[in-house]
Amino acid sequence: MRLAPASSVPVAAPARKPWLDHWLDTVNDLAELTASHPMMDAVIDEIDGRMIRIGEHWLADFASCNYLGFDLDREIIEAVPAHLDAWGTHPSWSRLLGSPVLYEQIEERLTALLGAEDSLVLPTITHIHMSVIPLLAASGTIFLDQRAHKTIYDGCQVARSRGAAVRRFRFEDPDHLDELLSAERDPTRLVCMDGVNSMTGNAPDLPAFAAVARKHGALLYVDDAHGFGVIGERTAGETSPFGARGNSVVRHTGETYDNLVLVGGFSKAYSSLLAFIACPTEVKQLLKVAAPPYLYSGPSPVASLATVLAGLDVNETRGDAMRAELWRLTDRVLQALDRIGVHTPNRSGFPIIEIPLRDHRRIAEVGQMLFDRGVYVTLAAYPLVPKHEVGFRLQVTAANTDAEIDTAIEAIEELAARGELCEAGVPPMEQAA
Ligand SMILES: Cc1ncc(COP(=O)(O)O)c(C=O)c1O
């Protein structure tokens, strides 16, 4: 091989990473906020109940999804060591190779709680969406809720890369879904949507969506990450409008599992790293040979399997009392918003309370003020949400105290007095500064 003379060797352009430039540009607002704001990417030094310490600051935490307070429950904490003694810290077989009997126990109890035909547990909902949606969609057509959670959307993208088509239907609009399904000729149809929405805190009109899906022979796939453990079947003796037993949006809305698969997780209300799909046994058998997380992924740690089992016990004995407390605390915040006249999309009374800002550019200042008042929330910044929905979100848990709720209400009152929040009764888009 002959080398070119040195003078003719082209000078290499300075190394550019076009993909990096693209992403830095796209997430610029969020990156700036993350770099500068104490409420983003925080290091939590210590907790005491639902109070958290970040450096010198103690704050009331409204950013976790530990809705039932199982993370702090003594009965659940004390159930863990015996399981560690029996099983070690981590099974480390993929589920296909071998599963501790704890998995059988969890699936049996979960199936009974949900009133489903069968269930399969895997480490996270993300694992389930990425592997199960492509299997169920095959090379057919997916009808995707326009505001579906990002992880559902990503699962649909994987399905698309394997030959499925994806159509979007308008949020909370079963008539639009009906229109799209009526016009569709593809016989393989999968409808993907959320149960309790992680931003609005509302549940969909599941009976209406299920009826449309069944009418058109479509399978309905519902992610109720935020409903499981919080809402459940309606009974005469229920302790709150959340219903009883926390067995999810399907039972809460009086629906059945006919042509419907339910996905949910233990990582929110049950404070454990595990997720499930409730489905017919036939589908479960397919997933056990075709879903990559069952075949190849590392399993949940034993401590999480233990806290799920202990959580199922506590759910039976004290769960409804905890849900009653969760409802009471959530209602205090919602009543206060009503009294002050501040807008929230929450119509349900469920414990996710999003409060949009009048001016999305004020997110850093508003977040700082909440931080200074000792209130820790989830900041919903652009591009995590559209600009007119930029704001903050409180997730109430049964382990919050009345004093913590008072602190949050006082801070919200102050923000409202300063004109930072949207007025109730006027669509936020019309109030945008
Ligand atoms: C609706 C919804 N689905 C899925 C997930 C992700 O769940 P996991 O952490 O189990 O993957 C979340 C997490 O916030 C969620 O809100």
Side-chain angles (χ1 to χ4, degrees), residues 124-126 149 151 194 198 223 225-226 267-268:
T124 69
I125 297 180
T126 305
H149 193 263
T151 52
D194 289 87
S198 61
D223 170 353
H226 294 270
S267 76
K268 302 196 188 301

Side-chain angles (χ1 to χ4, degrees), residues 112-115 224 227-233 244-252 257 262 315 323:
L113 174 65
L114 297 172
D224 199 28
F228 176 65
V230 175
I231 59 171
E233 63 197 58
R245 305 182 71 205
N247 48 9
S248 201
V249 68
V250 175
R251 300 298 301 276
H252 186 72
Y257 295 93
L262 173 72
N315 186 55
R323 281 178 278 276

Side-chain angles (χ1 to χ4, degrees), residues 112-404:
L113 174 65
L114 297 172
E117 183 181 322
D118 214 332
S119 63
L120 179 76
V121 298
L122 289 167
T124 69
I125 297 180
T126 305
H127 281 97
I128 293 177
H129 291 336
M130 301 298 261
S131 58
V132 176
I133 292 176
L135 285 170
L136 297 180
S139 55
T141 301
I142 301 175
F143 296 84
L144 171 62
D145 181 343
Q146 223 163 33
R147 297 204 36 185
H149 193 263
K150 177 79 167 81
T151 52
I152 305 179
Y153 178 85
D154 286 349
C156 293
Q157 290 297 96
V158 176
R160 176 139 76 181
S161 73
R162 308 226 179 114
V166 180
R167 314 215 187 294
R168 312 284 294 259
F169 63 90
R170 285 192 295 270
F171 181 53
E172 296 186 336
D173 192 345
D175 293 339
H176 188 220
L177 175 63
D178 192 20
E179 257 172 56
L180 294 181
L181 279 163
S182 301
E184 183 58 57
R185 300 174 70 177
D186 192 334
T188 306
R189 298 132 181 247
L190 178 69
V191 176
C192 293
M193 61 187 294
D194 289 87
V196 173
N197 186 279
S198 61
M199 288 304 299
T200 66
N202 299 322
D205 182 352
L206 198 61
F209 281 103
V212 170
R214 285 177 194 133
K215 174 174 138 194
H216 294 285
L219 179 63
L220 181 57
Y221 180 98
V222 181
D223 170 353
D224 199 28
H226 294 270
F228 176 65
V230 175
I231 59 171
E233 63 197 58
R234 308 306 305 263
T235 62
E238 66 191 22
T239 53
S240 80
F242 291 170
R245 305 182 71 205
N247 48 9
S248 201
V249 68
V250 175
R251 300 298 301 276
H252 186 72
T253 55
E255 257 309 320
T256 70
Y257 295 93
D258 182 20
N259 247 35
L260 186 156
V261 294
L262 173 72
V263 173
F266 292 91
S267 76
K268 302 196 188 301
Y270 278 67
S271 309
S272 309
L273 187 80
L274 196 67
F276 67 83
I277 173 164
C279 58
T281 305
E282 209 182 11
V283 175
K284 173 172 174 170
Q285 294 312 335
L286 164 72
L287 298 178
K288 287 173 79 162
V289 288
Y294 194 88
L295 275 55
Y296 309 115
S297 295
S300 293
V302 167
S304 272
L305 303 176
T307 52
V308 167
L309 280 168
L312 289 166
D313 289 339
V314 170
N315 186 55
E316 261 174 43
T317 52
R318 290 184 279 124
D320 285 340
M322 289 163 150
R323 281 178 278 276
E325 177 65 356
L326 178 59
W327 178 81
R328 186 185 73 78
L329 294 169
T330 305
D331 193 53
R332 284 201 56 205
V333 179
L334 290 170
Q335 296 271 358
L337 294 180
D338 217 32
R339 175 172 51 76
I340 322 166
V342 164
H343 173 73
T344 172
N346 184 311
R347 307 182 299 266
S348 62
F350 301 158
I352 299 172
I353 304 173
E354 217 266 2
I355 303 181
L357 304 190
R358 234 166 45 77
D359 181 350
H360 72 92
R361 292 164 300 191
R362 302 273 307 154
I363 182 80
E365 290 82 355
V366 168
Q368 185 63 53
M369 185 252 164
L370 287 165
F371 190 89
D372 294 342
R373 302 293 179 278
V375 182
Y376 198 77
V377 297
T378 306
L379 293 184
Y382 177 80
L384 297 177
V385 294
K387 286 188 174 158
H388 68 273
E389 283 176 26
V390 163
F392 59 92
R393 192 179 62 179
L394 288 99
Q395 280 114 223
V396 181
T397 76
N400 282 117
T401 62
D402 277 299
E404 290 159 12

